[in-house]
Amino acid sequence: MIPADLLATFSLNPARIDGRPMSERRLSDLRDCFADKAACDAALARGDPVLYGVSSVEPAGGDGQLHYGLGVLYPGTIGDEYHMTKGHLHAHRPAAEIYIGLSGEGAMLLEDEACGGSCGGSDAGAGNGCKLVPLRANSVVYVPGHTAHRTINTGSEPLVYLGVYPANAGHDYAAIAKNNFAHIVIRGADGKPALQARALYAKS
Ligand code: S6P
Ligand code: ZN
């Protein structure tokens, strides 16, 4: 039996999947994510903007099904750090995911859970266990299983993307809440995105 509602339509501006609610995250939801706490508190004193929203399609069904979500991450910085998502591991660790860039300019920060944040702790930041992969229109980023992933908007327009993941992936935010990502993505002195070890960030 083929289910009835197989088609979803979406728009980029405003970014949403038609007929689906948008679940929103505000700056206050990410207070512990940003490295520069003083800059975060100063921004919160001015207001509590929506940083991103996700509109999801999660059909019922068992093993083998797919879920997907349209995300929109608004541009901006907190201190030197670009707006980002909370980031997570999948509760079912082997579950991979693909991110399809639709508009805007950004990147996926990926960290292999096995490295426990100890990999690539240099100024340059990137080791084998950590990668910053560009996410923009006409690009697809493959997020392997066992990999913490966070989306970063490094541009000046909303970053819009589709994430497609196994129905049994689930979200584990607790591990990120406990240890955070070992790296941050900041606007460098040259105005370009730079990956840096969190522990070496002067304002942390
Ligand atoms: C789900 C997928 C995305 C994120 C979305 C928001 O596996 O990775 O739909 O949920 O990008 O990020 P986060 O970290 O707040 O769930
Ligand atoms: Zn995910």
Side-chain angles (χ1 to χ4, degrees):
M1 188 77 166
I2 297 177
D5 52 346
L6 298 178
L7 176 69
T9 55
F10 64 89
S11 55
L12 295 183
N13 189 16
R16 65 166 58 103
I17 296 177
D18 299 323
R20 302 277 168 172
M22 180 70 84
S23 123
E24 294 178 332
R25 299 268 196 198
R26 293 178 177 273
L27 178 57
S28 55
D29 297 316
L30 281 90
R31 199 182 168 282
D32 296 329
C33 298
F34 289 102
D36 188 339
K37 304 296 176 212
C40 191
D41 286 345
L44 279 170
R46 294 191 294 273
D48 190 12
V50 171
L51 294 198
Y52 64 97
V54 184
S55 182
S56 301
V57 177
E58 302 192 329
D63 238 11
Q65 305 301 307
L66 293 175
H67 287 174
Y68 59 95
L70 181 84
V72 54
L73 174 58
Y74 298 103
T77 49
I78 298 296
D80 300 322
E81 207 172 357
Y82 295 102
H83 282 182
M84 60 191 169
T85 59
K86 279 174 92 78
H88 58 271
L89 285 150
H90 290 147
H92 178 55
R93 291 291 195 272
E97 178 166 5
I98 56 167
Y99 273 71
I100 304 165
L102 299 175
S103 67
E105 192 70 29
M108 298 294 302
L109 175 60
L110 306 178
E111 287 185 0
D112 181 351
E113 185 182 27
C115 289
S118 60
C119 51
S122 68
D123 260 338
N128 286 336
C130 172
K131 284 196 192 314
L132 188 64
V133 185
L135 179 66
R136 55 174 74 99
N138 306 317
S139 67
V140 179
V141 178
Y142 187 88
V143 178
H146 301 272
T147 304
H149 45 291
R150 166 172 278 170
T151 312
I152 319 267
N153 187 333
T154 58
S156 54
E157 303 292 329
L159 174 66
V160 187
Y161 57 90
L162 269 173
V164 185
Y165 45 97
N168 68 348
H171 293 80
D172 178 359
Y173 294 105
I176 303 303
K178 187 159 172 259
N179 299 321
N180 214 329
F181 282 67
H183 299 82
I184 62 174
V185 183
I186 57 171
R187 177 176 287 149
D190 59 359
K192 293 186 184 152
L195 186 64
Q196 185 170 344
R198 180 181 299 274
L200 299 181
Y201 184 61
K203 293 172 191 155
S204 59

